[in-house]
Amino acid sequence: MAPDRGRASSTSHPPLYSSLPTPTSSSQAQRGFLAERASEPQNFTLRSLLVGLVIGVVIAFSNTYFGLQTGWISGMTMPSALIGFGFFKSLPKAWLGYEFTPVENVLVQTVAGSVGTMPLGCGFVGVIPALDFLLKDEEGAGKIDLHFGKLVIWALGICFFGVVFAVPLRKQVIIREKLKFPSGTATALMIGVLHGNEKGNGALARLENRVSGLQTRQSEPVGDDEYAEEEHGLMPAAAPPGAHGVRDEPLQQTDSEMDGRKVDERGSSLDETSDWKAKVRLLIVSFGVSAVYTLASYFIPQLHDIPFLGLSLANSWLWTLNPSPAYVGQGIIMGPATTLHMLLGAIIGWGILSPMAKARDWAPGPVGDWTNGSKGWIVWISLAIMLADSIVSLGWLVLRPGMYYFRMYMPTIRESYRKGTWREGVRRLVKGTPKTRGYSPLHMDDDPSSSSLLPSSMADTGSPLVKKAVGDDEPEPDAPPDQLISMRTTLIGLVLSLGVCIGAVHYAFANLIPLGLTILALLLAFLLSIMGVRALGETDLNPVSGISKLTQLFFALATPRNNPNAVVINLLAGAISESAALQAGDLLQDLKTGHLLGAAPRAQFWGQLIGSAVGAVVSAAVYKLYTRVYTVPGGMFQVPTAYVWVFTARLVTGQGLPPHVAEWAAGATLIFGFLTALRVYGNSRNAFWVPFVPGGIAVAVGMYNTPSFTVARTIGGLICWYWRSWRKEPETPIIVLASGLILGEGLLSIANLGLASLGVPHL
């Protein structure tokens, strides 16, 4: 894969879309663009690989730190691209040797993202702490010895197969269906802006026109049942069950807001994004502010718990504020809707349920105790809310296509049966199904209105469905075959990755999970990864933790209750599903970015594999560093997500509940099941009131995290609201600001780790 360093790369590229008179010329122009870009030697270079790895290691440290605290991580794809661009552009041209191009920047952010998300992908912010610290003796605690070597083998075992799972899905969801993958699209636009400055804005304008054209076609209604985006709430990016995955910089626009203007103002506004140096300066300044605070907080630990509502509420009910710039930055990225829903969860959990459980002696221990205190009582309610949200929202992704086809064909089937022409209808149906947004095509006669399969309401050739059926929605032109991932590579990679995964799981957890259940977990992971990828492509939300909780629920039925290792099996199965969905979604998001910019998919695939391998080892090492220096759980790292994993396993395997929690959990399940269904319905209609309906996952996260983190994130959410909604400013600067705040504390936590290991006293 090493490029030919001598090949020139400064030639201008053909336009993606110019004034295209016919679809044929459009396809030819795009194929020429893809062929030229994909053949550039800069698609895979050692220098970009190394820079991406370095950026990814910084993100991995940051994600491990925040993941152990609250369960939240971020892939940081846009900041990774910006940092990579800033690094190479700051070097003298004589040092570079050859030009730093958009496709090389795609490799940087692909590798960085794959390294940075491994703390979640390998379970080091949830499952592994649960297995390491929270199991009871009767659940198999004495049978587990997770030393560093085992952790590395476990991580390397589960970090590849999700990447290979994603390869066969690429052609379907990116080329045929043209799913948006909004964060991937936004990253492509930002990279196009950064690199477009040197050659004028014409190429960038063509890139924006191409993206706008794709999204406009995707947002056309299909008959009377538009497949609109379903945003189940802007969720924290990881470990909480049902949380919708790694969502770096969530798009706030709906389809209707995107149409008719440049898509994603944070990435496409030429005036706001053209000065990359200003963005890098902003990133450095925010990084420095957060770093100074992080060092100060080591010597003055009281900064982590400010009694902003008074000492009584702080000491008795844990209502404090952690004014960490990083958590404010997380709130900026999450947005106002999610953070306010999290605040609602904190008020319900810590302001109502906690005092009630304490007063009625349902939770007699200290409020912050996970076993006998309010915290341990509340978490069961939050679990019920998460499971309800996951089942309803993910269930809708499964049922939606069937409902669509039922509505489309039922009138025709009834009419055909009444006229006695149903045999002809079946014959036509066997030949294919009407091509709709992202589903299989139907071979139709030259006169679509004569098809007995079409509902009578769509028989008019002016119907959007008929227009799509007769060729307005052809698949995207793709990269040259020699730059794609071959079928041979995919099959060999699938066999090897599955074999390595099975071997690693059984080495790290010998005699704890049967081989048959491991294979079942992998099969379920593949099926659920497809669901997660589709959700990510349509809504920018990868429901990785919801997928893991559904796996836990399924394995509670598949594992005998009398199996002494039932809890461990449940945890491992959930971890395998979460890892697969995360990796598949991560790669396809990056492949969307690469496709829009013409990067070679093969180079991205190998970059992702290398990044995942490095990230697995780095994440295991960072996890061991933190857990050896700090008390886990407790103090700095309360690992709330690990408790959520264990409590979920105990819940679905029938373990005893705290007093009177069953009825409250059942009530919460009914309420938030209904609210999630209402949000799904509203999103399918692009209803304005959806943000005002509490999101189940956000409320649940606010309940099981202490208020100190939630209040800080809410401040960030309100800052985002002020910037985006009140001042109507583009989102790029504030996302860069938030990223610097997060990375500053995440990286400088290494310095605090060193101070703690040396026993440096606090003030």
Side-chain angles (χ1 to χ4, degrees):
M1 297 294 294
D4 177 8
R5 297 291 195 273
R7 176 170 176 173
S9 59
S10 59
T11 55
S12 59
H13 302 295
L16 295 177
Y17 281 92
S18 52
S19 299
L20 300 171
T22 66
T24 300
S25 62
S26 170
S27 298
Q28 291 174 347
Q30 191 175 349
R31 285 191 183 92
F33 164 80
L34 292 171
E36 182 172 352
R37 280 277 177 96
S39 63
E40 287 184 4
Q42 284 91 333
N43 272 281
F44 196 90
T45 63
L46 179 61
R47 66 183 189 181
S48 291
L49 183 64
L50 293 176
V51 170
L53 291 175
V54 171
I55 297 171
V57 168
V58 173
I59 297 172
F61 267 94
S62 176
N63 281 337
T64 305
Y65 177 78
F66 295 116
L68 290 173
Q69 285 188 339
T70 66
W72 190 92
I73 79 160
S74 175
M76 296 284 184
T77 54
M78 288 183 69
S80 298
L82 178 61
I83 294 171
F85 182 87
F87 172 78
F88 282 108
K89 291 304 175 183
S90 65
L91 296 177
K93 290 187 177 181
W95 292 14
L96 289 176
Y98 49 94
E99 183 183 0
F100 181 68
T101 63
V103 295
E104 202 172 359
N105 208 342
V106 168
L107 180 65
V108 169
Q109 65 93 24
T110 298
V111 173
S114 62
V115 177
T117 55
M118 279 300 103
L120 171 63
C122 298
F124 291 117
V125 300
V127 171
I128 296 301
L131 292 165
D132 221 354
F133 301 108
L134 304 183
L135 288 184
K136 300 176 182 178
D137 289 338
E138 59 270 23
E139 294 169 339
K143 304 175 185 177
I144 297 175
D145 177 22
L146 295 177
H147 56 75
F148 178 68
K150 278 191 176 181
L151 288 180
V152 169
I153 292 193
W154 153 264
L156 289 173
I158 69 168
C159 73
F160 296 122
F161 65 91
V163 177
V164 184
F165 280 175
V167 174
L169 301 177
R170 176 187 176 273
K171 193 169 188 68
Q172 179 64 26
V173 300
I174 293 179
I175 304 303
R176 293 194 181 113
E177 299 184 27
K178 310 184 192 74
L179 295 186
K180 294 185 181 74
F181 290 96
S183 285
T185 299
T187 303
L189 287 167
M190 191 192 75
I191 292 174
V193 169
L194 294 172
H195 291 267
N197 295 332
E198 302 172 2
K199 300 176 183 178
N201 291 330
L204 174 62
R206 288 190 290 270
L207 172 61
E208 290 185 310
N209 288 339
R210 178 186 174 195
V211 175
S212 299
L214 290 176
Q215 295 199 354
T216 300
R217 288 198 299 275
Q218 288 171 339
S219 60
E220 288 179 356
V222 181
D224 56 14
D225 187 18
E226 179 178 356
Y227 273 46
E229 289 187 5
E230 295 173 31
E231 187 166 302
H232 307 306
L234 313 183
M235 301 305 157
H244 294 71
V246 180
R247 193 172 192 276
D248 307 54
E249 299 82 31
L251 292 178
Q252 302 293 340
Q253 301 97 315
T254 62
D255 284 351
S256 59
E257 292 172 326
M258 290 179 181
D259 293 343
R261 62 173 178 154
K262 292 186 184 347
V263 180
D264 186 20
E265 291 178 350
R266 70 169 180 229
S268 63
S269 173
L270 300 182
D271 294 336
E272 293 298 330
T273 321
S274 59
D275 187 2
W276 65 269
K277 292 183 180 179
K279 302 298 181 293
V280 172
R281 285 195 298 268
L282 178 60
L283 186 71
I284 293 173
V285 170
S286 59
F287 181 96
V289 170
S290 185
V292 170
Y293 169 86
T294 303
L295 287 175
S297 67
Y298 176 84
F299 295 101
I300 311 174
Q302 293 81 2
L303 289 175
H304 291 298
D305 291 294
I306 296 177
F308 73 108
L309 294 178
L311 289 174
S312 176
L313 285 176
N315 295 331
S316 300
W317 304 108
L318 305 185
W319 276 93
T320 61
L321 167 65
N322 181 356
S324 160
Y327 286 109
V328 174
Q330 291 178 6
I332 290 172
I333 290 176
M334 291 176 183
T338 295
T339 52
L340 289 173
H341 294 164
M342 291 171 64
L343 181 63
L344 174 63
I347 293 171
I348 294 173
W350 297 94
I352 299 174
L353 295 180
S354 174
M356 181 192 68
K358 182 78 170 178
R360 299 188 181 185
D361 207 33
W362 298 343
V367 171
D369 192 303
W370 284 97
T371 305
N372 298 312
S374 297
K375 181 182 285 189
W377 196 88
I378 293 170
V379 73
W380 294 97
I381 313 297
S382 67
L383 278 177
I385 294 173
M386 292 176 198
L387 287 172
D389 185 279
S390 299
I391 291 171
V392 173
S393 58
L394 295 177
W396 172 245
L397 288 175
V398 175
L399 293 175
R400 187 178 64 172
M403 293 175 61
Y404 174 78
Y405 284 125
F406 179 82
R407 290 180 59 186
M408 172 178 287
Y409 287 118
M410 199 58 215
T412 303
I413 292 172
R414 284 200 301 263
E415 184 176 352
S416 299
Y417 182 79
R418 183 175 59 83
K419 294 181 177 180
T421 60
W422 61 271
R423 290 185 178 86
E424 177 65 15
V426 170
R427 185 186 68 80
R428 290 178 177 272
L429 187 61
V430 169
K431 295 169 64 178
T433 53
K435 180 162 186 177
T436 61
R437 182 179 175 180
Y439 294 93
S440 303
L442 168 67
H443 172 76
M444 307 184 78
D445 295 336
D446 292 337
D447 180 9
S449 63
S450 67
S451 172
S452 64
L453 275 182
L454 277 178
S456 56
S457 61
M458 298 181 183
D460 181 6
T461 55
S463 165
L465 173 64
V466 175
K467 289 180 181 179
K468 286 179 179 288
V470 295
D472 283 356
D473 196 18
E474 294 299 321
E476 280 269 286
D478 203 354
D482 63 317
Q483 298 301 328
L484 300 176
I485 305 104
S486 68
M487 180 61 68
R488 179 184 177 185
T489 300
T490 303
L491 292 176
I492 293 175
L494 185 61
V495 172
L496 291 178
S497 62
L498 292 177
V500 169
C501 178
I502 293 172
V505 169
H506 284 266
Y507 170 77
F509 302 96
N511 303 319
L512 290 176
I513 178 170
L515 177 62
L517 290 181
T518 305
I519 295 173
L520 178 62
L522 288 168
L523 177 62
L524 195 60
F526 172 70
L527 297 175
L528 293 177
S529 294
I530 298 173
M531 183 192 306
V533 163
R534 181 168 297 283
L536 179 65
E538 294 180 357
T539 71
D540 208 22
L541 301 170
N542 191 352
V544 292
S545 294
I547 285 172
S548 70
K549 296 310 164 239
L550 288 181
T551 302
Q552 286 188 270
L553 186 61
F554 179 84
F555 263 73
L557 303 175
T559 308
R561 293 289 181 90
N562 59 357
N563 189 322
N565 302 321
V567 171
V568 175
I569 293 171
N570 196 274
L571 292 172
L572 294 177
I576 289 171
S577 286
E578 182 176 73
S579 181
L582 173 68
Q583 295 166 44
D586 190 30
L587 179 59
L588 284 168
Q589 189 87 270
D590 292 334
L591 287 173
K592 179 68 174 185
T593 301
H595 177 66
L596 292 173
L597 292 167
R602 185 176 64 173
Q604 289 186 265
F605 172 75
W606 290 110
Q608 180 91 7
L609 286 180
I610 294 170
S612 296
V614 173
V617 177
V618 168
S619 298
V622 175
Y623 170 78
K624 273 300 183 183
L625 282 174
Y626 281 124
T627 55
R628 284 180 180 176
V629 174
Y630 294 97
T631 300
V632 177
M636 179 74 72
F637 300 117
Q638 298 185 17
V639 290
T641 304
Y643 280 100
V644 169
W645 274 91
V646 166
F647 282 17
T648 303
R650 291 171 182 166
L651 173 66
V652 298
T653 54
Q655 306 238 353
L657 300 176
H660 296 280
V661 82
E663 52 264 43
W664 284 88
T669 299
L670 293 175
I671 292 171
F672 280 91
F674 169 76
L675 291 177
T676 301
L678 189 62
R679 287 175 63 83
V680 168
Y681 172 80
N683 277 312
S684 69
R685 299 294 185 270
N686 288 326
F688 72 92
W689 45 261
V690 171
F692 299 98
V693 180
I697 302 301
V699 171
V701 171
M703 291 176 69
Y704 76 72
N705 273 320
T706 54
S708 61
F709 303 113
T710 302
V711 173
R713 286 168 169 167
T714 303
I715 293 172
L718 293 176
I719 291 173
C720 177
W721 172 83
Y722 170 77
W723 182 261
R724 293 284 291 126
S725 300
W726 183 264
R727 293 191 55 178
K728 307 293 184 183
E729 298 286 349
E731 198 172 7
T732 300
I734 201 167
I735 291 297
V736 171
L737 170 70
S739 301
L741 296 177
I742 295 169
L743 291 175
E745 183 167 346
L747 185 60
L748 265 293
S749 66
I750 303 171
N752 285 4
L753 177 69
L755 294 173
S757 63
L758 294 173
V760 177
H762 305 292
L763 296 180

